[in-house]
């Protein structure tokens, strides 16, 4: 199972990116997770740049989506909303077919952010018919440094929660969208 984990943060030492890397490190062997932390490298969406004019960074991002069996998104909340970089990345996907039937689940690194999550759930349910709204994991990692995030995810309790989450999402991806 190949999962693309997208960080909605543009920060270099992002808690969300660190969490996704830590989740990748504790994933079961049968689940391969590639972390995409490049929302900051995508140009601002414009329909004028679609088709033959599609920027290479966007082509590469879309290819990552196409090669994955499913997508996990982890994002901070900015002013009670979806960060602009993540929304921009999603905007680049809406004209193509790569995301329409792609399983997507959310992972969250904070006890806060419910307004952003509600908005993101609405957007994701709009762009794919395979948004797994009931497969969700929240880990209390806010304000931790990357090494602390890894140590926290590696604890027995959190490792177990992460693996159960990944296995549920993997089963969802393999089942063609039905809850396994």
């Amino acid at each position: 199972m190949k999962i693309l984990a997208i960080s909605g943060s543009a920060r270099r030492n992002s808690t969300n990116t660190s969490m996704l890397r830590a989740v990748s490190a504790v994933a079961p062997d049968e689940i391969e997770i590639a972390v995409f932390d490049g929302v900051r490298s995508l140009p601002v969406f414009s329909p004028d740049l679609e088709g033959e004019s599609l920027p290479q960074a966007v082509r590469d991002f879309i290819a990552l989506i196409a090669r994955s069996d499913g997508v996990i998104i982890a994002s901070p909340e900015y002013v009670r909303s979806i960060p602009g970089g993540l929304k921009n990345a999603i905007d680049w996907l809406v004209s193509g077919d790569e995301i329409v039937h792609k399983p997507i689940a959310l992972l969250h690194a904070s006890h806060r952010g419910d307004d952003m999550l509600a908005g993101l759930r609405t957007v994701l349910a709009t762009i794919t018919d395979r948004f797994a709204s009931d497969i969700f994991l929240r880990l209390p990692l806010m304000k931790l440094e990357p090494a602390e995030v890894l140590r926290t995810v590696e604890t027995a309790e959190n490792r177990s929660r992460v693996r159960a989450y990944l296995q549920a999402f993997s089963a969802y991806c393999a089942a063609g969208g039905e809850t396994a």
Side-chain angles (χ1 to χ4, degrees), residues 25-100:
V26 302
D29 291 340
E30 67 274 8
I31 300 173
E32 177 186 324
I33 299 176
V35 176
F36 177 79
D37 65 351
V39 296
R40 69 181 160 274
S41 68
L42 299 175
V44 174
F45 172 75
S46 171
D48 293 339
L49 296 176
E50 292 183 306
E52 294 298 318
S53 300
L54 195 64
Q56 189 61 49
V58 177
R59 288 180 194 275
D60 295 344
F61 175 61
I62 290 171
L64 290 171
I65 299 279
R67 287 192 303 264
S68 70
D69 297 310
V71 174
I72 291 172
I73 297 176
S75 181
E77 174 184 74
Y78 292 168
V79 195
R80 299 176 66 179
S81 190
I82 302 167
L86 177 59
K87 180 63 171 71
N88 182 60
I90 293 169
D91 289 346
W92 279 112
L93 300 171
V94 298
S95 294
D97 295 332
E98 295 80 12
I99 202 72
V100 175

Side-chain angles (χ1 to χ4, degrees), residues 76-163:
E77 174 184 74
Y78 292 168
V79 195
R80 299 176 66 179
S81 190
I82 302 167
L86 177 59
K87 180 63 171 71
N88 182 60
I90 293 169
D91 289 346
W92 279 112
L93 300 171
V94 298
S95 294
D97 295 332
E98 295 80 12
I99 202 72
V100 175
H101 305 294
K102 190 68 64 174
I104 300 177
L106 295 176
L107 183 58
H108 197 58
S110 175
H111 62 286
R112 301 186 323 205
D114 290 335
D115 291 334
M116 180 279 299
L117 288 168
L120 187 54
R121 285 181 173 108
T122 298
V123 168
L124 296 176
T126 302
I127 65 166
T128 180
D129 59 5
R130 307 243 346 251
F131 174 53
S133 61
D134 58 335
I135 300 173
F136 176 72
L137 179 61
R138 173 177 259 156
L139 297 169
L141 304 170
M142 197 168 98
K143 298 189 182 196
L144 297 181
E145 294 297 319
E148 295 172 298
V149 169
L150 179 59
R151 282 193 300 273
T152 301
V153 171
E154 286 180 326
T155 65
E157 178 185 349
N158 285 331
R159 179 186 295 259
S160 176
R161 292 176 64 211
V162 165
R163 285 178 165 232

